[in-house]
């Protein structure tokens, strides 16, 4: 029970998190409801990372999750909705670079809670397919004309005409978004909204786009194009001073008064209703989304007066009125992903730099190709319809010939694409076969392998013997130092008894009694036969015992012992090095196919 209560509490906190963050932005100080609604929905869009998902990627996600086969009134539960949102965001992370990855779990949680709060106010735990499509297609990124084209495809019949009942259902669903951000009184649904938008009897695609993208659009949807304009001007810079806050530059929208000369306001001051001087909030203001220098304005005015610039540009391209037939892609050869090592081999053989990722595996490239194909198909259909309406019947044969040539060209390109893919597959198989090791290579030169194994065994034995001799040498040096200390103590006793030592060395003093620092010598260095060098790692007493010109007892015996140890170490090191060089040379010759002297392996 405690765990269930904690889960419910956590779910309530996550459900309110987005709305609490939106309230913290203080959007309610904006006096105009249209800007207030657009700013709130833009905040929700960016906070849920929906602005990074293009409308074409959203349509592809609908198709991948099988939503295009379901009826619009079919209901899906919250768990399946979460699965759909997960696929959308994980596909988004695959398209984004590694430095711009999003937090998928957080985005899913925020968007899921917002959709449930918007479209499941009675807590049934289910949403209709049409509600989800309308919400995600409206709130995702992309161009507004592409969004409206997709929405029209969902509310039109097979002949390409809009169904008023479907558009009424769309208005019911899309107007729940302003209500969710507490702007329902300004943009609520009414029964007369449909006839207010479209008083005509028959609505085709171009008419639908003309009405919803007009200036101004229908009152109930005036916030929709404004939300897209907000996204386009977020990083627009205006080098103009605000007449109220005296800021020397503006970001976003710029507003110019049509009555007060030279009076301009930034978007923050205009949205909050600030005014000073002779200017009043009742004056008509013009919204500017870009900045043009006076020189550009003058040149544009001259070009416009001379007829070089069209006076009125259409708000959207003209699309064919008839519904487009789906393309037949049954016989289209899809490119298969090719291994990176195969691509690297092909690029290195051609002298090109090796890429870090296969071009065929890039999802952004595939998405761009799909968009270009769709736009090109729409353009061909528009040109074909226009040419059919404008050209006389005598020119129809020419159009048929042109279409026939285009089909032949497409068939030739498909054949060429198929041949290229087959060649890539063949090269990839050859590369894999060449890279696999064969048993013949492993069993080559068994005699050399045996000799190499014996040499390595001999080398290990000599290394162990050298280590033992070094340890013995160190123990002998310690014993020598102890003997010299005893000899020195005996001489000091004799000197104290006789009043002076007849064998004291002139160089013996307080400075020579300090032990010298121990210097380590490498095992492979060539030793000399000088006693002082042979005893470089012992204390000062042993060195003092071998001082020149001072006869002492046991000196010759100790010197002979030291030279014997040094000579033994020298012969052992030489033998070890000869074995090491021979083993490395045999191994190098075997790796290079018996060609001796061509490759030199460095010593370790």
């Amino acid at each position: 029970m405690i765990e269930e209560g904690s889960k419910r509490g956590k779910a309530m906190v996550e459900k309110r998190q987005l709305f609490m963050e939106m309230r913290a932005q203080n959007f309610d100080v904006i006096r105009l409801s249209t800007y207030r609604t657009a700013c709130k929905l833009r905040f929700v869009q960016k906070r849920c990372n929906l602005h990074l998902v293009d409308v074409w990627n959203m349509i592809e996600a609908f198709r991948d999750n099988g939503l295009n086969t379901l009826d619009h009134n079919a209901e899906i539960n919250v768990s399946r909705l979460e699965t759909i949102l997960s696929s959308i965001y994980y596909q988004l992370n695959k398209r984004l670079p590694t430095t711009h990855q999003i937090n998928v779990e957080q985005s899913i949680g925020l968007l899921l809670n917002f959709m449930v709060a918007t479209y499941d106010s009675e807590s049934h735990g289910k949403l209709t397919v049409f509600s989800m499509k309308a919400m995600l297609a409206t709130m995702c990124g992309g161009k507004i004309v592409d969004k409206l084209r997709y929405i029209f495809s969902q509310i039109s019949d097979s002949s390409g005409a809009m169904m008023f009942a479907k558009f009424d259902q769309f208005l019911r669903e899309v107007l729940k978004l302003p209500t969710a951000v507490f702007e329902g009184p300004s943009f609520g649904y009414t029964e007369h909204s449909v006839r207010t938008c479209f008083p005509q009897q028959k609505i085709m695609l171009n008419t639908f786009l003309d009405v919803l993208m007009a200036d101004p659009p229908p009152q109930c949807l005036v916030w929709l194009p404004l939300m897209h304009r907000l996204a386009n001007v977020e990083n627009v810079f205006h080098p103009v001073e605000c007449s109220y806050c005296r800021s020397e530059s503006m970001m976003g929208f710029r507003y110019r008064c049509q009555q007060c000369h030279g009076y301009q306001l930034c978007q923050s001051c205009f949205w909050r209703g600030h005014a000073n001087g002779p200017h009043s909030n009742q004056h008509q203001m013009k919204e500017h989304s870009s900045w043009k220098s006076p020189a550009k304005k003058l040149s544009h005015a001259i070009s416009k007066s001379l007829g070089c610039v069209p006076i009125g540009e259409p708000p959207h391209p003209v699309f064919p009125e008839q519904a487009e037939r789906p393309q037949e892609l049954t016989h289209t050869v899809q490119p298969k992903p090719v291994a990176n090592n195969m691509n690297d081999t092909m690029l290195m053989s051609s002298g090109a730099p090796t890429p870090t990722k296969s071009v065929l595996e890039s999802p952004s490239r595939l998405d761009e190709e799909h968009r270009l194909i769709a736009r090109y198909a729409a353009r061909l259909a528009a040109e074909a319809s226009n040419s059919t309406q404008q050209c006389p019947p005598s020119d129809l044969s020419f159009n048929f010939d042109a279409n026939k040539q285009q089909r032949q060209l497409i068939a030739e390109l498909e054949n060429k694409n198929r041949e290229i893919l087959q060649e890539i597959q063949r090269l990839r198989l050859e590369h894999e076969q060449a890279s696999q090791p064969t048993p013949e290579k492993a069993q080559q030169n068994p005699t050399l392998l045996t000799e190499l194994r014996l040499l390595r065994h001999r080398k290990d034995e000599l290394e162990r013997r050298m280590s033992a001799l070094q340890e013995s040498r160190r123990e002998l040096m310690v014993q020598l130092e102890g003997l010299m200390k005893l000899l020195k103590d005996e001489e000091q006793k004799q000197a104290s008894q006789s009043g002076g030592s007849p064998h004291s060395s002139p160089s013996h003093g307080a400075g020579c009694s300090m032990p010298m620092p121990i210097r380590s010598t490498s095992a492979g260095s060539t030793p000399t036969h000088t006693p002082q060098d042979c005893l470089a790692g012992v204390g000062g007493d042993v060195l003092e015992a071998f001082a020149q010109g001072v006869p002492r007892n046991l000196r010759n015996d100790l010197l002979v012992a030291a030279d014997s140890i040094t000579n033994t170490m020298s012969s052992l090191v030489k033998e070890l090095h000869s074995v090491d060089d021979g083993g490395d040379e045999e191994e190098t010759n075997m790796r290079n196919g018996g060609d001796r002297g061509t490759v030199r392996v460095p010593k370790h």
Side-chain angles (χ1 to χ4, degrees), residues 352-403:
T354 304
T356 57
K357 186 176 182 181
S358 174
V359 179
L360 296 178
E361 295 178 352
S362 176
S364 61
R365 181 180 178 86
L366 294 178
D367 295 337
E368 186 65 23
E369 289 177 358
H370 292 166
R371 293 184 198 173
L372 292 176
I373 292 172
R375 292 176 185 173
Y376 184 66
R379 187 185 303 172
L380 288 178
E383 292 177 357
S385 61
N386 293 334
S387 62
T388 304
Q389 296 175 1
Q390 296 176 3
C391 296
S394 60
D395 295 338
L396 292 178
S397 59
F398 176 76
N399 292 333
F400 290 150
D401 294 339
N403 293 334

Side-chain angles (χ1 to χ4, degrees), residues 19 22-23 28 36-37 40 177-186:
F19 297 100
M22 185 178 64
R23 288 182 181 276
D28 292 331
R36 192 167 59 243
T37 305
K40 289 180 179 180
L177 293 173
T179 304
V181 293
F182 315 107
E183 297 295 335
S186 301

Side-chain angles (χ1 to χ4, degrees), residues 341-354 427:
N341 55 1
M342 185 62 205
N343 293 331
D344 297 343
T345 305
M346 294 175 63
L347 289 173
M348 284 189 293
S349 62
S350 61
T354 304
L427 293 174

Side-chain angles (χ1 to χ4, degrees), residues 21-207:
E21 293 179 2
M22 185 178 64
R23 288 182 181 276
Q25 299 295 321
N26 200 18
F27 291 123
D28 292 331
V29 300
I30 302 175
R31 63 187 184 94
L32 300 177
S33 60
T34 304
Y35 287 97
R36 192 167 59 243
T37 305
C39 288
K40 289 180 179 180
L41 292 178
R42 175 62 178 169
F43 172 79
V44 174
Q45 183 190 46
K46 295 181 66 176
R47 189 65 182 86
C48 296
N49 290 313
L50 278 175
H51 66 294
L52 301 175
V53 184
D54 192 82
V55 61
W56 300 108
N57 301 127
M58 192 66 72
I59 296 171
E60 184 178 1
F62 293 160
R63 184 178 67 251
D64 293 341
N65 288 276
L67 298 181
N68 56 337
T69 60
L70 298 178
D71 186 75
H72 284 173
N73 296 324
E75 294 182 342
I76 57 176
N77 53 23
V78 177
S79 61
R80 185 175 180 185
L81 176 60
E82 185 177 2
T83 303
I84 296 172
L85 297 182
S86 300
S87 66
I88 293 173
Y89 283 116
Y90 279 113
Q91 289 296 326
L92 172 63
N93 254 358
K94 291 181 180 179
R95 295 189 297 269
L96 293 176
T98 55
T99 55
H100 294 75
Q101 298 287 301
I102 65 170
N103 189 341
V104 175
E105 298 297 332
Q106 185 181 19
S107 302
I108 293 173
L110 292 175
L111 182 57
L112 182 65
N113 291 323
F114 179 76
M115 293 181 68
V116 170
T118 303
Y119 294 101
D120 189 24
S121 57
E122 298 181 359
S123 301
H124 292 306
K126 295 182 179 180
L127 277 74
T128 63
V129 174
F130 190 75
S131 300
M132 188 187 64
K133 284 186 175 181
M135 185 272 175
L136 293 177
T138 304
M139 294 295 293
C140 68
K143 297 181 180 180
I144 185 173
V145 63
D146 296 332
K147 294 183 180 181
L148 294 177
R149 285 181 61 194
Y150 173 71
I151 292 170
F152 185 82
S153 68
Q154 301 296 305
I155 62 176
S156 59
D157 55 14
S158 57
S159 64
M162 187 188 75
M163 295 182 288
F164 283 87
K166 285 287 187 179
F167 180 71
D168 182 76
Q169 185 181 2
F170 168 72
L171 283 182
R172 289 176 184 269
E173 301 299 337
V174 79
L175 290 179
K176 290 179 181 179
L177 293 173
T179 304
V181 293
F182 315 107
E183 297 295 335
S186 301
F187 301 102
Y189 171 79
T190 61
E191 297 179 355
H192 307 287
S193 299
V194 178
R195 288 300 173 185
T196 303
C197 297
F198 298 105
Q200 302 92 336
Q201 295 297 326
K202 185 176 182 180
I203 306 299
M204 306 300 289
L205 174 59
N206 292 317
T207 307

